[in-house]
Amino acid sequence: MKSLIKISLAAAVLGAFFTSCKDDDDYQTIQSVDKVKIDSVKIVRDTMSVFTVQSIRTYSTYASTCRGFYGYDYAHTGEFDRDVTAYQYLTNGMCSQANHKSTNQINFSPRKKGNYTFRFWNGNNNWITKTIVVE
Protein backbone atom coordinates (compact mmCIF):
# COMPACT_ATOMS: atom_id res chain seq x y z
CA MET A 1 0.00 0.00 0.00
CA LYS A 2 2.86 2.41 0.84
CA SER A 3 4.48 1.82 -2.56
CA LEU A 4 1.19 2.65 -4.30
CA ILE A 5 1.02 5.95 -2.39
CA LYS A 6 4.67 6.71 -3.24
CA ILE A 7 4.10 5.98 -6.96
CA SER A 8 0.93 8.13 -6.99
CA LEU A 9 2.72 11.00 -5.26
CA ALA A 10 5.70 10.77 -7.66
CA ALA A 11 3.36 10.75 -10.66
CA ALA A 12 1.51 13.81 -9.34
CA VAL A 13 4.76 15.74 -8.75
CA LEU A 14 6.14 14.85 -12.20
CA GLY A 15 2.82 15.74 -13.84
CA ALA A 16 2.78 19.14 -12.13
CA PHE A 17 6.42 19.74 -13.12
CA PHE A 18 5.86 18.98 -16.81
CA THR A 19 2.65 21.00 -16.88
CA SER A 20 4.34 24.06 -15.38
CA CYS A 21 7.25 23.79 -17.83
CA LYS A 22 5.01 23.90 -20.90
CA ASP A 23 6.65 25.49 -23.90
CA ASP A 24 5.50 29.12 -24.14
CA ASP A 25 6.38 29.31 -27.85
CA ASP A 26 2.76 28.37 -28.62
CA TYR A 27 1.68 31.84 -27.50
CA GLN A 28 2.53 35.05 -29.28
CA THR A 29 2.95 38.30 -27.41
CA ILE A 30 1.54 41.55 -28.74
CA GLN A 31 4.52 43.84 -29.31
CA SER A 32 2.68 46.99 -30.31
CA VAL A 33 -0.64 48.50 -31.36
CA ASP A 34 -0.96 51.22 -33.98
CA LYS A 35 -3.42 52.67 -36.48
CA VAL A 36 -4.37 50.80 -39.63
CA LYS A 37 -6.19 52.54 -42.43
CA ILE A 38 -9.73 51.54 -43.28
CA ASP A 39 -9.80 50.73 -47.00
CA SER A 40 -13.58 50.72 -47.40
CA VAL A 41 -16.85 50.77 -45.46
CA LYS A 42 -20.14 48.99 -46.09
CA ILE A 43 -23.38 50.34 -44.64
CA VAL A 44 -26.37 48.22 -45.68
CA ARG A 45 -29.10 50.77 -44.89
CA ASP A 46 -28.52 54.53 -45.02
CA THR A 47 -31.88 55.08 -43.27
CA MET A 48 -32.89 53.35 -40.04
CA SER A 49 -35.12 53.73 -36.99
CA VAL A 50 -34.23 54.79 -33.47
CA PHE A 51 -33.28 51.89 -31.13
CA THR A 52 -32.62 49.44 -33.97
CA VAL A 53 -29.19 47.94 -34.57
CA GLN A 54 -27.18 48.03 -37.78
CA SER A 55 -23.76 46.49 -38.38
CA ILE A 56 -21.30 48.76 -40.14
CA ARG A 57 -18.51 46.76 -41.75
CA THR A 58 -14.99 48.03 -42.31
CA TYR A 59 -12.29 46.46 -44.46
CA SER A 60 -8.54 46.80 -43.85
CA THR A 61 -5.36 45.28 -45.28
CA TYR A 62 -2.55 44.00 -43.03
CA ALA A 63 1.09 43.71 -44.14
CA SER A 64 1.75 40.27 -42.59
CA THR A 65 0.10 37.48 -40.66
CA CYS A 66 1.71 38.89 -37.49
CA ARG A 67 -0.67 41.83 -37.82
CA GLY A 68 -4.41 41.80 -37.28
CA PHE A 69 -7.41 43.74 -36.05
CA TYR A 70 -7.07 45.00 -32.46
CA GLY A 71 -10.05 47.33 -32.02
CA TYR A 72 -11.66 50.65 -32.83
CA ASP A 73 -11.44 54.14 -31.44
CA TYR A 74 -15.06 55.31 -31.73
CA ALA A 75 -15.14 59.01 -30.88
CA HIS A 76 -18.26 61.15 -30.51
CA THR A 77 -17.02 64.43 -32.01
CA GLY A 78 -20.46 66.07 -31.99
CA GLU A 79 -24.06 65.20 -31.24
CA PHE A 80 -24.40 63.35 -34.54
CA ASP A 81 -20.76 63.06 -35.62
CA ARG A 82 -18.56 60.00 -35.13
CA ASP A 83 -14.89 59.47 -35.99
CA VAL A 84 -13.81 55.84 -36.29
CA THR A 85 -10.16 54.76 -36.30
CA ALA A 86 -9.10 51.10 -36.56
CA TYR A 87 -6.06 49.71 -34.74
CA GLN A 88 -3.88 46.72 -35.52
CA TYR A 89 -1.68 44.59 -33.29
CA LEU A 90 1.81 43.30 -34.10
CA THR A 91 2.94 40.01 -32.53
CA ASN A 92 6.40 38.52 -32.12
CA GLY A 93 5.58 35.15 -33.74
CA MET A 94 6.74 33.57 -36.95
CA CYS A 95 4.61 34.88 -39.78
CA SER A 96 4.20 35.23 -43.50
CA GLN A 97 4.92 38.63 -45.02
CA ALA A 98 1.96 38.28 -47.39
CA ASN A 99 -0.81 40.89 -47.24
CA HIS A 100 -4.17 39.77 -45.91
CA LYS A 101 -7.52 41.51 -45.64
CA SER A 102 -9.85 41.56 -42.68
CA THR A 103 -13.50 42.49 -42.20
CA ASN A 104 -14.65 43.90 -38.86
CA GLN A 105 -17.79 45.59 -37.69
CA ILE A 106 -19.31 48.17 -35.41
CA ASN A 107 -22.89 47.77 -34.23
CA PHE A 108 -24.65 51.14 -34.40
CA SER A 109 -27.80 51.60 -32.29
CA PRO A 110 -28.94 55.23 -32.30
CA ARG A 111 -30.94 56.63 -29.38
CA LYS A 112 -31.97 59.86 -31.06
CA LYS A 113 -33.38 60.93 -34.46
CA GLY A 114 -31.05 62.85 -36.73
CA ASN A 115 -28.46 62.66 -39.52
CA TYR A 116 -25.38 60.83 -38.23
CA THR A 117 -22.10 61.48 -40.02
CA PHE A 118 -19.39 58.84 -39.70
CA ARG A 119 -15.79 59.52 -40.68
CA PHE A 120 -13.53 56.47 -41.03
CA TRP A 121 -9.76 57.04 -40.94
CA ASN A 122 -8.20 56.17 -44.31
CA GLY A 123 -4.59 57.23 -43.68
CA ASN A 124 -2.84 60.57 -43.16
CA ASN A 125 -5.58 63.24 -43.09
CA ASN A 126 -7.96 61.26 -45.30
CA TRP A 127 -11.38 60.07 -44.18
CA ILE A 128 -14.19 58.02 -45.71
CA THR A 129 -17.46 59.81 -44.89
CA LYS A 130 -20.81 58.04 -44.59
CA THR A 131 -24.18 59.37 -43.42
CA ILE A 132 -27.02 57.46 -41.80
CA VAL A 133 -30.44 59.08 -41.43
CA VAL A 134 -32.22 58.01 -38.25
CA GLU A 135 -35.99 58.48 -38.23
Side-chain angles (χ1 to χ4, degrees):
M1 182 70 165
K2 287 184 182 182
S3 64
L4 183 60
I5 294 173
K6 287 181 183 179
I7 291 172
S8 298
L9 183 59
V13 169
L14 285 174
F17 174 75
F18 286 116
T19 301
S20 67
C21 292
K22 184 180 180 311
D23 187 8
D24 287 335
D25 290 341
D26 294 344
Y27 302 99
Q28 297 177 3
T29 303
I30 293 178
Q31 298 296 309
S32 64
V33 174
D34 59 348
K35 289 181 180 182
V36 62
K37 74 177 195 161
I38 296 172
D39 299 325
S40 62
V41 177
K42 182 177 181 184
I43 295 177
V44 176
R45 294 173 285 142
D46 60 0
T47 302
M48 61 187 289
S49 299
V50 175
F51 300 113
T52 60
V53 178
Q54 177 175 191
S55 295
I56 300 171
R57 292 191 177 165
T58 65
Y59 301 86
S60 296
T61 304
Y62 300 91
S64 77
T65 57
C66 282
R67 296 177 183 270
F69 180 73
Y70 185 77
Y72 290 110
D73 181 13
Y74 183 88
H76 294 242
T77 56
E79 185 175 10
F80 298 105
D81 300 324
R82 309 288 186 263
D83 284 357
V84 180
T85 305
Y87 286 85
Q88 65 181 336
Y89 63 81
L90 172 63
T91 64
N92 63 349
M94 293 185 55
C95 52
S96 158
Q97 296 304 310
N99 286 350
H100 69 98
K101 295 181 186 252
S102 176
T103 304
N104 300 288
Q105 71 181 30
I106 299 168
N107 290 327
F108 176 56
S109 180
R111 306 283 182 226
K112 189 175 183 180
K113 293 180 180 182
N115 294 334
Y116 289 79
T117 302
F118 290 84
R119 295 183 338 138
F120 298 89
W121 188 74
N122 184 247
N124 299 323
N125 289 323
N126 300 318
W127 298 84
I128 298 169
T129 303
K130 299 286 185 176
T131 300
I132 298 176
V133 177
V134 178
E135 300 174 333

